[in-house]
């Protein structure tokens, strides 16, 4: 029965792998041979062995729990063992359960006593911390107090967050509440003490106009202890900011805005009396010195409050220096500069004083990079800009103006003074041979040497030139090197504005407006170069004393030499004028070639042509003459003689060059073709230049007057323009060759007359082949042309 009871208990208790092991331990045929004593004994032995192994397993598990240092897990395992319903009386398990129950009771009593001791110890620790904090506060050890509060914070944070197992085991919930209340109370007490210490260290008596600074507070605590405690609590920047607000609003601003005088009353050595800074209205013999007052404030704060500590000075500079500079600039520097707009020496002295104040702050360790000196110097530069701005604003208004009065063209320049006797003899053919070989310049010595003739410029550009002249006149008469430099610099800036100003595309489409803009640019360039000799002797000494940077003035430069900056401005203006002219010429070339396309490259003349083509060609030539005359009149009316001739010869040369190419492209030119070509193109050759230059037919005989262009006889201008327009002379020569004989052509080639008109060997050979049939005489003529080609 005992065996069966044990078997039943084990079978009921086991499950899973243990049940499988038990089945393997019993004989498989036990139920069939249960009356066999040997088999029963074998089963009993196997059950004993299995029971022993199971007991050893249980003991090993309990041993592992005991050594795991986890009382909760061990207590749970023992409780499960004691509460098991399968324990057999008298067995080792039952005996172990009795002792386990006693162990659990003792362990609960020990845990209760441990918790009680921990709570009492926590209470004692909290009271000790509060007592120690109070002691440190009474002794003035504020920094140590602050670090104690920081440690309380950290301990409380670790306890609340369960940062470590030791904290959780050591602190109970009651201790956490007690520690939290003590931390808050200590922190509030320390903050109250620090607030009072800061107010005691820095006091402002607005009624008595006095600042009091105490290096020792509460009778025994150095003020550096206050800053150390605030830094430990992470509130140093906030408190320094509050002190900066107090000093700026109640000390610095009243002193700077009221023009007051400050004085320092130092505390007696060894006493706890505060150091005083007084400010009052300037009395007899006293002057307002804002830089000195600011230095006194900086020095007293650095010595009395911060103890010349490098770390504190650096943080104080971060919150105070820039704000002090802004107040200084707003209340003193800016009003000073506005009160002395023409005294650049005074503005420079004020900038030097500001730099001196900044150097003093830098010696204390308050300045990381220059701020005040450059800012005050920039104010002086604004005064210089104000001198320039008046001229620049006027120039800008003139350039953007669309008023008809500002755009109205005006006549400028003077007629060129010529040697009339020389040209009279030249026109009449009475010049001697030596006069032809060594021709004089043709200008009279009585006229201006640099005269370029008369031309038109806009009224606004004349006003801009007067503005430039006014700036140079003011600069030469001001007597101040800095002001003179600024005004001279205004000239270069005006030139830059004129260059950057671009008329609209619709304006440049009209030749008159483009020519007028071209003249404006060159007129200003000439004015800049010619005005310097007028004002250079007075300006040179001033620019040598000043920087002279705007005028690119060099130390060894004489007063008569135009500064390189002016030269560069003039060259850039002329280059802009050249681009404007080039753009207009390209547009005119395109327009004329569009008209020229009506001639169809002269391909309808000759055997394949017709009468209608000749009529169309003549009408096209008349249209060309009309368009050329309109362009020429605009150029002659607006441009100087030299540029007017350049426009006429450029456009006409482009047309004549195309016609020459068309003629030279014909392989066979008959007698009728030659006559048609001369009849169609001869009016263009004869009338184009006179039409463009405005040559009028002479009046009645005996009343003819010599026509002139800006003082130059028009006949001279026509000759000069013809000589400058090689394509025109080439076309004229080609038309003359159409009615010339072979001998005449070869003779003119040998005399180099054809070469002078732009024809080369290939052109002459082509004309001989196109005009004359192949013969021995033509071959000999071609041979003579080749022989005399070089």
């Amino acid at each position: 029965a005992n065996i069966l009871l044990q078997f039943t208990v084990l079978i009921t208790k086991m499950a899973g792998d243990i049940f499988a092991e038990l089945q393997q331990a019993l004989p498989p045929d036990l139920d069939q041979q249960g009356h066999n004593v040997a088999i029963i004994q074998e089963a009993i032995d196997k059950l004993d062995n299995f029971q022993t192994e199971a007991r050893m397993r249980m003991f090993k598990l309990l041993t592992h729990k005991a050594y795991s240092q986890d009382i909760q897990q061990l207590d749970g395992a023992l409780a499960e063992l004691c509460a098991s319903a399968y324990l057999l009386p008298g067995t080792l398990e039952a005996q172990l359960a009795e002792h386990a129950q006693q162990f659990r009771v003792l362990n609960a009593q020990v845990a209760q006593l441990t918790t009680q001791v921990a709570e009492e110890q926590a209470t004692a620790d909290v009271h000790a911390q509060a007592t120690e904090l109070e002691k440190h506060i009474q002794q003035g050890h504020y920094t140590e107090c602050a670090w104690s509060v920081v440690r309380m914070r950290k301990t409380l944070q670790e306890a609340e967050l369960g940062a470590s197992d030791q904290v959780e085991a050591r602190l109970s919930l009651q201790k956490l509440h007690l520690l939290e209340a003590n931390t808050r109370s200590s922190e509030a007490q320390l903050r109250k003490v620090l607030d009072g210490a800061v107010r005691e260290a820095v006091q402002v008596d607005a009624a008595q106009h006095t600042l009091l600074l105490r290096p020792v507070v509460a009778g025994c605590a150095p003020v550096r202890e206050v800053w150390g405690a605030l830094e430990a609590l992470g509130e140093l920047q906030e408190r320094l900011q509050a002190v900066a607000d107090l000093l700026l609003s109640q000390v610095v601003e009243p002193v700077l805005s009221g023009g007051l005088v400050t004085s320092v009353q130092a505390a007696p050595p060894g006493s706890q009396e505060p150091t005083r800074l007084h400010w009052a209205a300037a009395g007899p013999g006293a002057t307002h010195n804002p830089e000195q007052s600011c230095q006194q404030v900086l020095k007293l704060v650095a010595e009395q409050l911060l103890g010349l500590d490098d770390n504190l000075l650096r943080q104080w500079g971060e919150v105070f220096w820039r704000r002090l500079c802004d107040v200084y600039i707003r209340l003193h520097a800016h009003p000073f500069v506005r009160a002395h707009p023409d005294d650049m020496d005074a503005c420079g002295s004020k900038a030097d004083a500001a730099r001196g104040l900044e150097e003093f702050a830098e010696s204390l360790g308050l300045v990381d990079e220059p701020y005040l000196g450059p800012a005050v110097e920039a104010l002086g530069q604004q005064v210089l800009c104000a001198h320039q701005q008046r001229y620049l604003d006027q120039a800008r208004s003139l350039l953007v103006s669309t008023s008809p009065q500002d755009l109205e063209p005006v006549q400028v320049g003077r007629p060129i003074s010529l040697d009339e006797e020389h040209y009279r003899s030249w026109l009449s053919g009475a010049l001697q041979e030596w006069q032809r070989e060594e021709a004089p310049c043709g200008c009279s010595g009585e006229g201006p040497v640099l005269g370029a003739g008369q031309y038109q410029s806009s009224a606004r550009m004349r006003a801009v030139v007067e503005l430039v002249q006014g700036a140079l006149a003011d600069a030469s008469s001001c007597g101040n090197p800095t002001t003179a430099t600024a005004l001279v610099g205004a000239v270069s800036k005006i030139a830059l504005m004129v260059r950057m100003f671009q008329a609209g595309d619709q304006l440049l489409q009209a030749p008159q407006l483009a020519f007028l803009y071209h003249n404006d640019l060159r007129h200003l360039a000439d004015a800049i170069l010619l005005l310097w000799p007028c004002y250079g002797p007075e300006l040179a000494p001033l620019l040598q004393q000043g920087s002279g940077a705007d005028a690119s003035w060099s130390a060894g430069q004489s007063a008569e030499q135009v500064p390189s900056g002016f030269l560069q401005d003039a060259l850039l203006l002329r280059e802009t004028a050249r681009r404007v002219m080039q753009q207009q010429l390209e547009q005119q070339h395109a327009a004329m070639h569009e008209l020229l396309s009506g001639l169809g490259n002269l391909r309808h003349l000759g055997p394949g042509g017709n009468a209608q083509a000749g009529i169309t060609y003549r009408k096209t030539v008349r249209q060309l003459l009309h368009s050329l005359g309109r362009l020429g009149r605009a150029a002659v009316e607006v441009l100087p003689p030299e540029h007017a001739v350049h426009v006429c010869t450029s456009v006409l040369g482009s047309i004549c060059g195309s016609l020459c190419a068309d003629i030279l492209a014909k392989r066979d030119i008959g007698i009728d073709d030659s006559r048609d070509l001369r009849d169609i193109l001869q009016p263009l050759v004869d009338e184009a230049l006179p039409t463009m230059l405005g040559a009028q037919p002479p009046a009645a005989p005996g009343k003819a007057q010599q026509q002139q262009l800006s003082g130059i006889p028009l006949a001279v201008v026509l000759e000069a323009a013809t000589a400058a327009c090689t394509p025109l002379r080439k076309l004229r020569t080609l038309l003359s060759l159409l009615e010339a004989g072979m001998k005449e052509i070869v003779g003119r080639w040998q005399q180099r007359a054809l070469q002078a008109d732009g024809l080369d060997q290939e052109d002459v050979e082509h004309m001989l082949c196109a005009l004359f049939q192949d013969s021995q005489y033509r071959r000999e003529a071609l041979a003579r042309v080749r022989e005399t080609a070089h």
Side-chain angles (χ1 to χ4, degrees):
N2 188 21
I3 292 174
L4 291 176
L5 179 60
Q6 294 182 6
F7 176 76
T8 302
V9 170
L10 290 174
I11 292 299
T12 304
K13 177 67 176 176
M14 301 303 171
D17 293 339
I18 297 178
F19 181 73
E21 292 178 6
L22 179 59
Q23 285 182 335
Q24 292 177 2
L26 295 176
D29 52 352
L30 178 62
D31 55 344
Q32 300 176 3
Q33 301 180 13
H35 302 284
N36 191 333
V37 178
I39 293 177
I40 293 175
Q41 185 64 39
E42 180 183 359
I44 292 173
D45 293 339
K46 289 185 177 180
L47 285 174
D48 290 339
N49 293 334
F50 184 79
Q51 187 180 31
T52 302
E53 291 179 1
R55 184 177 289 117
M56 293 301 296
R57 288 183 182 180
M58 182 185 69
F59 289 159
K60 287 182 180 180
L61 289 174
L62 291 176
T63 303
H64 177 71
K65 295 293 185 181
Y67 281 101
S68 67
Q69 296 183 355
D70 190 345
I71 301 300
Q72 298 296 331
Q73 292 185 7
L74 179 59
D75 185 74
L78 293 176
E80 185 178 356
L81 176 63
C82 295
S84 176
Y86 303 105
L87 290 174
L88 298 177
T91 61
L92 294 175
E93 291 81 3
Q95 297 175 6
L96 179 62
E98 294 177 0
H99 294 292
Q101 185 62 33
Q102 295 178 1
F103 174 78
R104 289 183 65 223
V105 173
L106 293 175
N107 186 51
Q109 294 176 355
V110 170
Q112 183 178 1
L113 291 175
T114 302
T115 302
Q116 184 177 358
V117 171
E119 291 175 354
E120 293 177 355
Q121 183 63 38
T123 303
D125 292 343
V126 169
H127 287 300
Q129 289 177 350
T131 303
E132 184 182 6
L133 181 67
E134 183 67 27
K135 179 181 177 181
H136 284 312
I137 290 176
Q138 292 178 358
Q139 294 177 351
H141 299 163
Y142 299 146
T143 304
E144 185 63 30
C145 295
W147 284 115
S148 298
V149 172
V150 171
R151 286 191 292 270
M152 290 180 186
R153 289 178 182 173
K154 184 176 180 181
T155 303
L156 180 61
Q157 183 179 10
E158 290 176 352
E160 291 175 346
L161 298 178
S164 65
D165 296 338
Q166 294 180 356
V167 175
E168 293 179 357
R170 187 163 38 87
L171 296 176
S172 64
L173 181 60
Q174 182 180 359
K175 181 181 178 180
L176 286 177
H177 293 319
L178 185 60
L179 180 60
E180 181 180 2
N182 184 61
T183 300
R184 291 179 178 177
S185 175
S186 300
E187 189 171 352
Q189 182 182 4
L190 180 59
R191 277 204 174 92
K192 182 178 180 181
V193 172
L194 293 177
D195 290 341
V198 173
R199 287 194 298 269
E200 183 181 359
V202 184
Q203 294 181 354
V204 177
D205 189 349
Q208 298 297 326
H209 305 290
T210 304
L211 168 67
L212 296 88
L213 300 177
R214 288 183 173 87
V216 178
V217 295
C220 61
V223 73
R224 62 176 177 272
E225 285 288 330
V226 178
W227 307 127
L230 291 171
E231 186 173 16
L233 295 175
E235 300 176 1
L236 179 60
Q237 285 286 329
E238 181 181 352
R239 297 304 177 91
L240 290 178
Q241 188 74 35
V243 173
D245 295 340
L246 177 65
L247 293 178
L248 289 172
S249 61
Q250 299 192 26
V251 178
V252 177
E253 290 187 1
V255 170
L256 294 182
S257 62
L260 306 179
V261 179
T262 57
S263 61
V264 178
Q265 181 183 351
S271 68
Q272 295 186 359
E273 290 294 324
T275 299
R276 290 176 168 82
L277 176 70
H278 301 278
W279 58 91
T287 57
H288 174 58
N289 191 334
E291 294 79 20
Q292 181 181 358
S293 299
C294 292
Q295 287 184 14
Q296 289 174 347
V297 172
L298 294 176
K299 182 178 180 181
L300 290 178
V301 172
E303 293 178 351
Q304 302 298 321
L305 290 185
L306 306 179
L308 296 178
D309 182 86
D310 293 340
N311 180 42
L312 291 175
L313 286 171
R314 178 182 58 79
Q315 297 188 62
W316 173 246
E318 291 177 358
V319 301
F320 184 70
W321 171 246
R322 286 290 181 96
R323 297 179 61 191
L324 174 65
C325 294
D326 294 338
V327 172
Y328 173 87
I329 293 172
R330 175 170 54 87
L331 298 180
H332 176 70
H334 194 267
F336 179 87
V337 172
R338 289 174 58 186
H340 302 80
D342 297 325
D343 192 352
M344 297 311 301
D345 293 336
C347 295
S349 300
K350 182 54 62 179
D352 294 338
R355 280 191 288 268
L357 174 59
E358 189 163 41
E359 291 173 0
F360 179 78
E362 186 177 3
S363 67
L364 294 177
L366 305 177
V367 181
D368 291 334
E369 58 184 10
Y371 177 75
L372 181 60
V376 177
E377 187 175 358
L379 288 177
Q381 293 298 325
Q382 291 179 5
V383 174
L384 294 181
C385 293
H387 287 288
Q388 291 184 351
Q389 198 63 35
R390 177 165 57 91
Y391 293 96
L392 298 181
D393 290 342
Q394 295 182 28
R396 187 180 300 108
S397 300
L398 289 171
L399 292 176
V400 301
S401 173
T402 57
S403 172
Q405 291 81 4
D406 293 333
L407 300 177
E408 185 71 22
V410 294
Q411 195 79 10
V412 295
R414 295 173 57 184
I416 298 177
S417 181
L418 299 179
D419 186 351
E420 297 182 1
E421 182 178 354
H422 170 77
Y423 281 103
R424 192 180 299 110
S425 301
W426 179 77
L427 291 173
S428 62
L431 286 180
Q432 301 295 327
E433 187 64 28
W434 65 269
Q435 291 178 321
R436 295 181 182 275
E437 295 177 355
E438 299 181 3
C441 66
C443 295
S444 173
E446 299 177 356
V449 178
L450 300 179
Q454 293 177 309
Y455 56 92
Q456 288 183 352
S457 179
S458 65
R460 67 181 174 190
M461 189 52 58
R462 184 175 63 178
V464 169
V465 171
E466 293 175 355
L467 199 62
V468 169
Q469 184 176 0
L472 293 178
D474 290 346
S476 62
S477 60
C478 68
N480 185 286
T482 309
T483 304
T485 301
L487 293 177
V488 170
V491 175
S492 295
K493 293 181 179 180
I494 291 174
L496 176 62
M497 281 197 296
V498 173
R499 284 194 294 109
M500 298 305 295
F501 171 77
Q502 293 290 339
D505 294 338
Q506 67 276 13
L507 295 179
L508 294 181
Q509 294 294 335
Q512 292 90 339
L513 295 179
F515 295 156
L516 197 63
Y517 183 42
H518 165 272
N519 287 351
D520 286 348
L521 293 168
R522 293 191 62 90
H523 184 59
L524 180 59
D526 295 342
I528 289 176
L529 295 177
L530 295 176
L531 285 175
W532 178 260
C534 301
Y535 300 99
E538 291 81 10
L539 282 174
L542 295 175
L543 296 181
Q544 288 174 351
Q545 297 177 25
S547 61
D550 290 332
S552 301
W553 182 268
S554 58
Q557 185 172 333
S558 65
E560 291 77 14
Q561 294 177 330
V562 179
S564 58
F566 279 14
L567 289 175
Q568 183 178 5
D569 292 335
L571 291 176
L572 290 175
L573 286 168
R574 289 182 176 180
E575 174 61 20
T576 305
R578 186 196 64 80
R579 289 197 300 267
V580 171
M581 179 62 74
Q582 184 64 31
Q583 179 182 355
Q584 182 59 217
L585 288 178
E586 291 175 358
Q587 294 178 0
Q588 295 302 323
H589 289 170
M592 296 302 172
H593 278 278
E594 185 177 355
L595 288 176
L596 192 62
S597 62
L599 293 178
N601 301 113
L602 303 176
R603 60 179 177 270
H604 296 298
L605 287 178
N610 52 55
Q612 185 61 37
I615 297 174
T616 302
Y617 289 168
R618 287 176 174 82
K619 294 175 69 173
T620 300
V621 169
R622 285 300 166 191
Q623 291 177 355
L624 279 172
L625 284 174
H626 176 73
S627 297
L628 289 173
R630 187 171 55 187
L631 174 63
R633 286 191 296 273
V636 170
E637 181 181 359
V638 178
L639 294 172
E642 181 181 358
H643 296 90
V645 170
H646 171 68
V647 170
C648 295
T649 56
S650 175
V651 176
L652 183 58
S654 175
I655 295 174
C656 293
S658 298
L659 293 175
C660 290
D662 293 340
I663 294 175
L664 292 173
K666 291 184 172 296
R667 296 182 176 274
D668 185 14
I669 303 176
I671 297 177
D672 294 338
D673 300 338
S674 299
R675 183 178 63 255
D676 291 341
L677 285 173
R678 288 196 308 272
D679 293 344
I680 293 172
L681 299 179
Q682 196 66 43
L684 180 66
V685 173
D686 296 338
E687 301 175 16
L689 264 183
T691 301
M692 296 183 76
L693 295 176
Q696 299 294 333
K703 297 183 179 180
Q705 296 183 354
Q706 187 181 25
Q707 300 179 28
Q708 293 186 348
L709 177 61
S710 190
I712 309 174
L714 196 56
V716 176
V717 177
L718 285 171
E719 291 291 338
T722 303
C725 190
T726 301
L728 174 63
R729 292 186 285 108
K730 184 176 182 179
L731 179 60
R732 178 180 294 171
T733 301
L734 287 176
L735 295 180
S736 66
L737 294 182
L738 294 176
E739 58 182 1
M742 189 182 304
K743 180 178 180 181
E744 181 183 353
I745 295 174
V746 174
R748 293 172 62 180
W749 172 259
Q750 291 176 339
Q751 295 173 2
R752 312 197 68 80
L754 300 181
Q755 293 90 323
D757 290 334
L759 275 72
D760 56 16
Q761 175 186 345
E762 183 179 356
D763 296 336
V764 176
E765 290 178 350
H766 178 82
M767 292 300 294
L768 289 174
C769 295
L771 291 172
F772 304 102
Q773 295 181 352
D774 185 20
S775 63
Q776 179 64 30
Y777 188 58
R778 192 183 75 173
R779 290 192 290 272
E780 293 177 356
L782 292 172
R784 288 197 300 272
V785 169
R786 296 189 188 98
E787 290 175 358
T788 57
H790 301 292

